[in-house]
């Protein structure tokens, strides 16, 4: 049975601010280049594709519990983690503004914009993490037994934690 959990939508005004400025600068540059070389307008196709991929990336976000696995879709990134690989005893709901050691510091392979972070990051305590963050006040911190941390923004973090504990405590279904 697949159980999906709501993720707060990022503030699109913040998320799209940097790409919008980049798009404007790119269009101005193409306009100047097109005065000398009319084929420069074809670069607009590349910019349009980049904007489409970025928009798709921000809109593709989800967390679901599918039998004994936690499925996370975060832009171009995804993760599938067995519930048995999670340290549920150490899992907790946090506000990242209060717990500075869990804040993502260095993006190793991911997307980072104001109000939206997704992918693989290093934390301030130098630990590794897979993150999907849209709201820093409603974050579920799930440590994996391998040492990596999962940081997930959820509408109701405790609901996912309770569902994970129920799956972990359920007898094996074969």
């Amino acid at each position: 049975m697949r159980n999906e959990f709501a993720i707060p939508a990022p503030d699109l005004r913040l998320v799209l601010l940097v790409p919008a400025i980049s798009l404007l600068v790119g269009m101005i540059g193409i306009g100047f280049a097109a005065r000398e070389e009319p084929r420069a307008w074809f670069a607009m196709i590349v910019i349009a594709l980049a904007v489409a991929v970025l928009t798709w990336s921000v809109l593709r976000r989800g967390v679901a519990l599918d039998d004994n696995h936690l499925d996370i879709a975060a832009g171009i990134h995804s993760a599938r983690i067995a519930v048995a690989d999670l340290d549920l005893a150490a899992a907790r709901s946090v506000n990242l503004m209060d717990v500075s050691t869990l804040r993502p510091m260095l993006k190793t392979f991911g997307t980072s914009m104001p109000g939206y972070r997704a992918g693989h990051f290093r934390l301030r305590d130098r630990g590794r993490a897979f993150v999907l963050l849209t709201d820093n006040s409603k974050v579920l911190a799930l440590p994996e037994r391998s040492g990596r941390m999962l940081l997930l923004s959820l509408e109701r973090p405790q609901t996912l934690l309770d569902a994970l504990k129920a799956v972990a405590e359920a007898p094996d279904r074969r």
Side-chain angles (χ1 to χ4, degrees), residues 5-64:
F5 299 89
I7 297 170
D11 184 0
L12 291 180
R13 293 173 298 178
L14 288 174
V15 172
L16 297 179
L17 179 66
V18 172
I21 292 170
S22 301
L23 177 64
L24 181 63
V25 169
M27 288 173 56
I28 290 170
I30 290 170
F32 281 121
R35 297 163 107 188
E36 301 293 323
E37 179 61 52
R39 289 182 287 180
W41 287 110
F42 287 116
M44 290 298 287
I45 295 170
V46 174
I47 289 177
L49 287 174
V51 168
V53 168
L54 178 67
T55 302
W56 170 81
S57 175
V58 170
L59 294 176
R60 183 182 179 262
R61 58 188 186 277
V63 174

Side-chain angles (χ1 to χ4, degrees), residues 44-141:
M44 290 298 287
I45 295 170
V46 174
I47 289 177
L49 287 174
V51 168
V53 168
L54 178 67
T55 302
W56 170 81
S57 175
V58 170
L59 294 176
R60 183 182 179 262
R61 58 188 186 277
V63 174
L65 186 57
D66 191 12
D67 290 327
N68 292 327
H69 289 88
L70 182 64
D71 294 326
I72 306 165
I76 63 171
H77 312 281
S78 61
R80 183 172 173 87
I81 299 107
V83 174
D85 293 339
L86 297 172
D87 184 6
L88 297 176
R92 64 190 193 274
S93 179
V94 297
N95 181 339
L96 287 184
M97 302 315 279
D98 299 335
V99 185
S100 64
T101 58
L102 291 179
R103 280 192 228 145
M105 179 179 70
L106 177 67
K107 174 178 61 175
T108 55
F109 183 62
T111 304
S112 181
M113 293 180 281
Y116 177 78
R117 285 176 291 204
H120 302 272
F121 286 77
R122 287 283 180 171
L123 303 176
R124 294 205 189 278
D125 68 357
R126 297 199 176 141
R128 296 178 312 125
F130 184 83
V131 306
L132 174 56
L133 296 173
T134 59
D135 181 358
N136 288 338
S137 65
K138 299 176 182 178
V139 177
L140 181 61

